[in-house]
Structures are given as C-alpha cells and as structure tokens.
C-alpha cells in the first residue's frame, strides 16, 4: 500500500476545502461535489454478460446496473492489453499517443505524466478530491506509472488478489473517504487466466446444448493443446471463465450494497467497464492482445444519480468514456483534461460516429500472426496488416468475423485503409509531442510502421 498524501497536507487541504464550501460533507449548505467510483474488470468479454445478450445468468448485478445507467452497446478498446488500455481510459488518449504499447514486464514502458498529458487522478486530486485505487493484478502495480495522482494505492503482494480480498481493502479505504468527495478506482482481476473460480462457483455452469450452439455459431476451437501435449476441452474453460464472472458479479453486489449501507451511493457516479475481452478459444485464441471483436468489445455503463437510463447504440472508443462522463456529470472536476483528450463526448447532440482505431500488442504476444491495426464502424471492420494481407469484415452480416469480404468490396477496403493510415499518422504526431514533453521516456511508435507512413506521404 502506498500513501502519497501526508497527514499535514491532507489536514490543510481539508480546512481549505471546508472554507470554500467544497468538502464532501457539504457543511456550508451547498451540494457536495459528486463522488466517482470507477470499476474496471480485467479480461471481461462484453458478450458474456446478460445485458449484452449472453444466454447464461453470469451477471445479475451488472445487468441491473446497466438497466439504471447510460449503457453503451458498442465500446471498442484501443488495445486488448491491460496497462495500455487502462492508460487510455485514464488519459483519454490512444496508445500511440500516450506511449504505453505493452505491459511493463512484457516489453512496454511505464506511463510518464507531463504538464500536457496527465492521468485523471492527478486532475481530480488537484481539484481537492481524495483519490484512491485498489488494483488486483500485477500488470497495474506501482512500477507502471498508472499510480500517478492517487493518494492511496493498494496493489497485490504477489500476482493477483481475488475480489473478496479486493473488497476488504476497499472497505478499509472507505473509512477515510466518507467526509470528502472522492475518486475511487477499483480494479478486479478474477476473469483473467488461469480460470479458477472459488469452489462454490466451480460447477455453476455446465456444458449443454446452449453452449454448444454458442460455440458452433462462432466456430470456436473445441480443444486446446497444453504445453504438456495434452488436450483440454475449450467448453470446460468457458464454464470456468463464466464461473469467475458470476463470482465477481456477486462481489460487485457486495461493494454496491456496502456503499448504499454507508449512505455513500446517493451522491456517487459509477462507471463500470473492462480493459479488454478474452479469446477463450474463439478464432483459435485463448488469451488476448489480438484484435478480434471478442477481445476488443468492452462493457461500458455510466450511472449518474438523477440521469435517465438509456442505451447508446453508436460505436465508440474507450477513450471516449471520460469525456462522455464529464458531459453527463457537470459537477465532476475536469481541469485541463479536454485539452489532452482525443476522446469525445459520445452523448452530445452534435456527436457524429467516427471509425474507431485499435491495434494488437505484437510486442508481447510472441505469436506468428502479423502485427495489425483495425478500424471499426457499425457495419465494417478493416484489419490492416502492414506485413500481411488486409482483411475486411461486414459486421452487420458477419458479426463473428468469419468471412473475409475484402475481395468483394475493394473500394470499401481502399477507403477504410486510407482513413486508418490518416488516423495513425495523426496519432503519431500527437505522440511525438507528448514524448518531447515527457523527456522521451515514452515508448516510440513502431519505427517500421512510421517509415511506411512517411513513405506513403501520411506524415508529410
């Protein structure tokens, strides 16, 4: 555990906030500034939740939250890798821009804040909020830079902690947060491989005709070869993965009930999302860091007390989450976040959907599959492989990306490729500016891809 705010500084800040009428207790008669609870779930496939159409009862608590929230049906993450995706969420920028292109111990660099690129935790703290985080997996420990701006930062002693332990840490922190407005980030790791749900959830889901239909529609692999040479049925992995989700869902219920019991829920905005999904055998992939839809599609819901629940059907990026949150919750501090964010307000009257860029994490996945970038719209998805063969999927008619349509729609392929390269070049220029401000401590964009863009004229 790390405590970055000294007792003296905290006391002085509390006195100042009370004098200005900004303290969470609201003693001046003014409405207290809203609290923010950010829940991120590692490795959670959106399509394994009931609110996203899953056939199993894995997520009654999350489903209920979705029904009370502004609910986003198609939120695409910029990279299906833990640290880059969380950094994008907290800065409102893409991996090429913020320079975190892999997890630190898998070939990536740590996030380095600068005067022109900061985590939202730093902005909230500067505005007088108490900031605290409890993370449950080693890819987000305090060696990664993701801890920037948090007064209190709890992390696993080893590789990970299960949700019950995470909740206990959160409840201890709540004792220090009750009298002041706070930004609390809770990160759960349970759905991440290896799938080992607690004993009470181990047999919650069994292989049946419903699972067989689900796997057949998506052309799942049926078995996976282990390093020992043995083969294990993918269906059993899906059962265990779903058991992890149901266990976690019950623990989120405990968290929300505890906040309600302490009277903290009525003035708390809740954002629930995931950093990425998981292959679990679809497209022959068991993990993540690739760019298939099941790995890029993330749940996203924002519950604002008093805000009318509704569904947003447009395709958006995870980098749009905080700019959208600020539009829904004017009382939250936002400082200079808008000046750095590439993300946009997805609920504004003038919002026009734009193609969403994602990229794989070739740095750490150690796989023969070519590095690639994707561009996603409501109908089309381009998979651009600089050293391979480009692919095009018609998502309206082929939502599981089973049939490459590039040969049938060459004009669409060419137009989307031009758009993708234009966006890449723009992000690279933004990344150059952030790298200069951080003293070149951020990771460089792929040099070969940069030369390719330059040779094609996109960086001129």
């Amino acid at each position: 555990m790390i405590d970055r705010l000294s007792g003296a500084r905290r006391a002085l800040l509390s006195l100042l906030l009370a004098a200005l009428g900004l303290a969470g207790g609201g003693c001046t008669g003014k409405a207290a500034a809203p609290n923010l609870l950010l829940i991120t779930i590692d490795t959670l496939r959106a399509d394994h939740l009931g609110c996203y159409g899953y056939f199993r009862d894995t997520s009654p608590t999350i489903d209920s939250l979705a029904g009370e929230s502004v609910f986003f049906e198609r939120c695409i993450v910029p990279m299906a890798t833990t640290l880059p995706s969380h950094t994008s969420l907290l800065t409102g920028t893409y991996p090429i821009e913020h320079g975190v292109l892999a997890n630190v111990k898998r070939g990536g660099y740590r996030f380095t804040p600068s005067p022109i690129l900061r985590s939202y935790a730093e902005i909230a703290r500067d505005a007088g909020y108490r900031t605290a985080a409890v993370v449950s997996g080693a890819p987000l420990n305090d060696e990664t830079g993701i801890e920037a701006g948090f007064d209190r930062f709890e992390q696993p002693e080893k590789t990970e902690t299960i949700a019950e332990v995470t909740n206990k840490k959160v409840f201890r922190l709540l004792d220090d947060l009750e009298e002041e407005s706070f930004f609390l980030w809770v990160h759960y790791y349970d759905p991440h491989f290896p799938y080992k749900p607690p004993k009470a959830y181990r047999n919650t889901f069994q292989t049946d005709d419903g699972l067989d239909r689900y796997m057949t529609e998506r052309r799942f692999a049926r078995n996976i070869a282990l390093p020992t040479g043995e083969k294990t049925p993918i269906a059993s992995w899906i059962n265990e993965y779903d058991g992890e989700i149901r266990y976690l869902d019950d623990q989120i219920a405990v968290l929300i009930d505890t906040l309600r019991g302490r009277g903290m829920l009525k003035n708390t905005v809740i954002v629930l999302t995931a950093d990425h999904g998981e292959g679990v055998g679809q497209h022959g992939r068991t993990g993540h860091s690739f760019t298939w839809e099941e790995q890029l599609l993330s749940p996203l819901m924002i519950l604002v007390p008093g805000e009318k629940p509704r569904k947003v059907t447009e395709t958006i990026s995870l980098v749009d989450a905080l700019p959208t949150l600020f539009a829904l919750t004017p009382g939250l501090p936002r400082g200079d976040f808008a000046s750095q964010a590439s993300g946009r307000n997805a609920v504004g009257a003038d919002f026009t959907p734009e193609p969403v860029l994602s990229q794989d994490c070739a740095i750490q996945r150690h796989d023969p599959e070519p590095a690639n970038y994707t561009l996603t719209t409501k109908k089309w998805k381009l998979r651009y492989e600089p050293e391979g063969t480009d692919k095009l999927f018609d998502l309206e008619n082929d939502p599981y990306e089973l049939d490459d349509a590039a040969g049938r729609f060459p004009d669409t392929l060419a137009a989307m490729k031009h758009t993708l390269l234009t966006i890449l070049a723009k992000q690279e220029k933004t990344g150059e500016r952030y790298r200069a401000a951080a003293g070149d401590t951020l990771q460089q964009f792929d040099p070969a891809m940069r030369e390719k863009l330059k040779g094609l004229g996109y960086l001129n």
Side-chain angles (χ1 to χ4, degrees), residues 13 38 53-55 87 89 169 177 330 375 383:
L13 184 59
L38 171 62
Y54 198 40
F55 69 97
T87 307
L89 171 64
K169 293 180 178 181
L177 299 176
L375 195 67
R383 180 183 168 97

Side-chain angles (χ1 to χ4, degrees), residues 181-316:
S181 296
F182 61 80
F183 167 34
L184 173 62
W185 170 31
V186 182
H187 164 257
Y188 294 107
Y189 200 69
D190 300 84
H192 197 284
F193 187 83
Y195 317 128
K196 293 181 179 179
K199 186 176 181 179
Y201 296 81
R202 216 162 284 165
N203 297 311
T204 301
F205 301 104
Q206 301 289 326
T207 301
D208 56 14
D209 290 344
L211 180 59
D212 185 71
R213 284 192 298 272
Y214 178 85
M215 294 177 68
T216 299
E217 285 177 346
R218 293 159 178 78
R219 297 183 196 168
F220 268 72
R222 292 292 169 163
N223 296 284
I224 184 69
L226 301 176
T228 59
E230 298 176 278
K231 289 187 176 181
T232 188
I234 287 292
S236 65
W237 273 16
I238 296 175
N239 294 333
E240 292 167 352
Y241 177 72
D242 288 346
E244 292 271 30
I245 295 172
R246 182 55 195 257
Y247 161 69
L248 172 60
D249 186 85
D250 287 348
Q251 291 304 311
I252 291 174
V254 173
L255 172 65
I256 292 174
D257 287 345
T258 299
L259 287 168
R260 184 181 291 112
R262 290 177 178 237
M264 302 172 79
L265 201 58
K266 59 183 180 232
N267 192 39
T268 297
V269 176
I270 301 176
V271 178
L272 185 145
T273 189
D275 56 352
H276 54 76
E278 183 77 326
V280 206
Q282 193 169 351
H283 290 105
R285 303 298 175 191
T286 55
H288 43 271
S289 295
F290 297 88
T291 53
W292 298 108
E293 198 79 350
E294 63 271 11
Q295 299 187 32
L296 294 179
L297 186 64
S298 168
L300 176 62
M301 54 202 73
I302 302 175
L303 188 153
V304 180
E307 182 72 25
K308 184 179 179 180
R310 59 190 184 276
K311 288 186 178 181
V312 178
T313 60
E314 287 85 358
T315 300
I316 69 167

Side-chain angles (χ1 to χ4, degrees), residues 105-418:
K105 292 189 177 180
R106 300 289 299 278
Y109 287 26
R110 60 177 281 125
F111 170 62
T112 304
S114 71
I116 62 172
L117 180 63
R118 301 195 295 161
S119 167
Y120 179 65
E122 297 175 276
I123 292 170
R125 186 173 67 182
D126 287 353
Y129 270 56
R130 294 294 306 280
T131 57
V134 181
V135 302
S136 304
L140 295 176
N141 65 24
D142 62 356
E143 298 174 352
T144 65
I146 203 73
E147 76 280 3
F150 288 102
D151 302 328
R152 300 282 296 275
F153 192 86
E154 298 268 2
Q155 64 188 38
E157 291 183 7
K158 295 182 179 179
T159 303
E160 63 180 290
T161 51
I162 63 171
E164 288 173 77
V165 175
T166 298
N167 278 350
K168 288 177 182 178
K169 293 180 178 181
V170 171
F171 300 153
R172 287 197 296 268
L173 287 177
L174 290 178
D175 294 335
D176 294 332
L177 299 176
E178 288 186 297
E179 299 302 320
E180 300 175 65
S181 296
F182 61 80
F183 167 34
L184 173 62
W185 170 31
V186 182
H187 164 257
Y188 294 107
Y189 200 69
D190 300 84
H192 197 284
F193 187 83
Y195 317 128
K196 293 181 179 179
K199 186 176 181 179
Y201 296 81
R202 216 162 284 165
N203 297 311
T204 301
F205 301 104
Q206 301 289 326
T207 301
D208 56 14
D209 290 344
L211 180 59
D212 185 71
R213 284 192 298 272
Y214 178 85
M215 294 177 68
T216 299
E217 285 177 346
R218 293 159 178 78
R219 297 183 196 168
F220 268 72
R222 292 292 169 163
N223 296 284
I224 184 69
L226 301 176
T228 59
E230 298 176 278
K231 289 187 176 181
T232 188
I234 287 292
S236 65
W237 273 16
I238 296 175
N239 294 333
E240 292 167 352
Y241 177 72
D242 288 346
E244 292 271 30
I245 295 172
R246 182 55 195 257
Y247 161 69
L248 172 60
D249 186 85
D250 287 348
Q251 291 304 311
I252 291 174
V254 173
L255 172 65
I256 292 174
D257 287 345
T258 299
L259 287 168
R260 184 181 291 112
R262 290 177 178 237
M264 302 172 79
L265 201 58
K266 59 183 180 232
N267 192 39
T268 297
V269 176
I270 301 176
V271 178
L272 185 145
T273 189
D275 56 352
H276 54 76
E278 183 77 326
V280 206
Q282 193 169 351
H283 290 105
R285 303 298 175 191
T286 55
H288 43 271
S289 295
F290 297 88
T291 53
W292 298 108
E293 198 79 350
E294 63 271 11
Q295 299 187 32
L296 294 179
L297 186 64
S298 168
L300 176 62
M301 54 202 73
I302 302 175
L303 188 153
V304 180
E307 182 72 25
K308 184 179 179 180
R310 59 190 184 276
K311 288 186 178 181
V312 178
T313 60
E314 287 85 358
T315 300
I316 69 167
S317 172
L318 186 63
V319 304
D320 299 324
L322 289 190
T324 303
L325 169 67
F326 299 147
L328 292 170
T329 318
L332 283 173
R334 73 253 354 249
D336 54 0
F337 193 86
S339 67
Q340 72 181 37
S342 296
R344 303 180 300 145
N345 168 21
V347 295
D350 59 347
F351 178 77
T352 301
E354 294 181 353
V356 174
L357 180 78
S358 302
Q359 64 187 101
D360 73 344
C361 189
I363 293 173
Q364 71 176 51
R365 59 177 169 78
H366 304 299
D367 187 275
E369 186 173 305
N372 62 85
Y373 302 82
T374 60
L375 195 67
T376 304
T377 68
K378 185 174 183 178
K379 179 173 177 59
W380 297 105
K381 181 174 178 179
L382 167 68
R383 180 183 168 97
Y384 169 61
E385 299 180 359
E387 305 301 326
T389 303
D390 301 335
K391 297 178 177 64
L392 184 69
F393 298 99
D394 179 354
L395 297 179
E396 288 184 348
N397 297 299
D398 178 26
Y400 310 132
E401 302 167 278
L402 302 175
D403 179 22
D404 180 10
R408 300 197 302 276
F409 300 95
D411 292 344
T412 300
L413 177 72
M416 290 195 70
K417 184 173 179 178
H418 172 69

Side-chain angles (χ1 to χ4, degrees), residues 398-460:
D398 178 26
Y400 310 132
E401 302 167 278
L402 302 175
D403 179 22
D404 180 10
R408 300 197 302 276
F409 300 95
D411 292 344
T412 300
L413 177 72
M416 290 195 70
K417 184 173 179 178
H418 172 69
T419 301
L420 184 148
L421 293 173
T422 301
I423 294 171
L424 271 181
K426 180 181 177 182
Q427 291 185 8
E428 161 59 5
K429 290 178 180 178
T430 302
E432 276 188 343
R433 185 162 57 90
Y434 289 147
R435 284 196 297 273
D440 277 332
T441 58
L442 303 179
Q443 194 154 16
Q444 299 282 337
F445 178 48
D446 178 8
M449 188 64 223
R450 192 180 192 286
E451 286 305 307
K452 196 177 198 66
L453 289 172
K454 189 175 180 180
L456 293 170
Y458 286 91
L459 284 176
N460 297 337

